[in-house]
Amino acid sequence: MAGVIGRALDLVFPPQTLDGSDGAQSVGLSAEAWARIQFISEPCCDGCGAPFEFDIGERCTLCQARPKAFARARAACLYDEASRDLILKLKHADRTELSGLFVNWITRAAADLLAEADAIVPVPLHRWRLLSRRYNQAAEIARPLARRCGAAYLPGALVRARHTASQGGKSGSGRRRNVAGAFEAPDTRQVEGRRILLIDDVLTTGATAEACAKALLKAGARAVDLAVLARVREAAPTAI
Ligand SMILES: [Zn+2]
C-alpha cells in the first residue's frame, strides 16, 4: 500500500533536483529520464525555434531564405530518443497526466509568445484519427495552457478539410504538398484580428504548422505564432 501511495505521490509532487531549481518541472520523471531531455534555451532562432550553438542573430539562414507562414516559433526540447519516448506515451497511451508536465515546459520555452497571444489553437487531428486515438495530444497540451495563461482556447478554430497521408518518411516538399490546403478555419469570427498561438507536439519540417498558419491568416488572424513540445535539431526531413 505504501508503495502504491509513494508512486502516486511522485506524480503529484515531483522529486526535488539536487539544486532545487527545476523540481516542479519533473512531475513523473525519473532523474535519469529528466537528465536525458535536451531542453532548448536562448540563443535560438526566433522564426523556427532551432537552437543556436552561438548567438548568430535573430533568425537562422533557413528562415532568412524562406520566412515561414508562422511569425515566430519556440520548442521546449529537442526531439530525440529521450523526448520521443515521453511524447509517444502522451500520443499513443492514455497518459494525459503527462500533459501537465508538458504545459510547464512550453510555458517556460514560449513565455514571450504566450504573453502576446489572444487565443490558443491546437493543430487538429482528422476525426478518423481522433476516433482511433480517442484524443488529440496537441489539444491535451493547448487546453490547460490556455487556462493557465488566460488566453481564449479555440479547439474548433481549425479543422482538417481532408484526410492526409502520414507525414512520416516524406521530404520537406513532399510534406508541404501533402498538407497544402488540408486545413480550414471555418468560423472567421473566432480568429479575426487575433494573435493566435498554434500548439503542436512535434515540429520537423514545419509543413503542417505552416498549412495551419496559412488557414488562420486567410481567415483574418492578425498573426500566428507556434509553440511545440519538441523539434528536430535542424529542419531536415526526418521520419517519425
Ligand atoms: Zn529558423
Side-chain angles (χ1 to χ4, degrees):
M1 189 64 189
V4 172
I5 291 172
R7 279 196 297 277
L9 286 178
D10 277 349
L11 290 172
V12 183
F13 300 105
Q16 290 297 306
T17 50
L18 288 175
D19 63 0
S21 58
D22 275 326
Q25 309 282 333
S26 58
V27 181
L29 268 186
S30 70
E32 284 110 336
W34 168 253
R36 286 169 57 224
I37 302 288
Q38 298 191 65
F39 290 98
I40 297 173
S41 54
E42 301 270 322
C44 63
C45 174
D46 192 50
C48 69
F52 291 155
E53 282 192 37
F54 308 100
D55 201 345
I56 55 168
E58 200 173 84
R59 306 238 155 182
C60 72
T61 51
L62 288 173
C63 286
Q64 286 176 37
R66 185 184 160 278
K68 307 263 191 285
F70 44 84
R72 301 175 293 178
R74 296 290 183 277
C77 65
L78 280 185
Y79 187 70
D80 57 15
E81 226 172 273
S83 63
R84 187 182 61 207
D85 283 353
L86 269 182
I87 293 166
L88 285 176
K89 276 181 189 159
L90 180 70
K91 207 168 199 169
H92 296 298
D94 285 337
R95 289 293 302 269
T96 46
E97 75 265 26
L98 274 173
S99 65
L101 172 68
F102 294 155
V103 167
N104 287 348
W105 291 3
I106 288 191
T107 302
R108 191 167 62 169
D112 47 346
L113 275 52
L114 280 163
E116 292 176 32
D118 300 313
I120 292 186
V121 174
V123 169
L125 274 186
H126 192 275
R127 62 193 156 85
W128 298 334
R129 278 188 209 155
L130 189 60
L131 282 176
S132 64
R133 230 184 241 164
R134 283 178 287 168
Y135 62 87
N136 175 355
Q137 70 277 8
E140 291 303 318
I141 300 167
R143 190 176 52 243
L145 188 65
R147 204 184 306 133
R148 183 181 296 186
C149 72
Y153 175 55
L154 307 174
L158 275 176
V159 296
R160 292 235 183 205
R162 60 178 173 80
H163 187 66
T164 51
S166 167
Q167 293 281 69
K170 288 188 168 61
S171 68
S173 59
R175 283 174 177 230
R176 276 197 293 279
R177 276 198 303 278
N178 189 36
V179 293
F183 299 91
E184 281 174 4
D187 182 2
T188 55
R189 288 168 306 177
Q190 285 194 39
V191 299
E192 252 169 2
R194 289 178 130 171
R195 181 157 205 128
I196 308 273
L197 182 62
L198 186 66
I199 303 293
D200 206 357
D201 53 356
V202 178
L203 176 70
T204 52
T205 64
T208 298
E210 283 209 84
C212 288
K214 280 177 188 164
L216 290 166
L217 291 168
K218 197 174 156 194
R222 183 159 51 88
V224 179
D225 294 320
L226 172 70
V228 300
L229 208 47
R231 60 155 296 135
V232 293
R233 189 178 284 278
E234 276 134 20
T238 306
I240 293 180

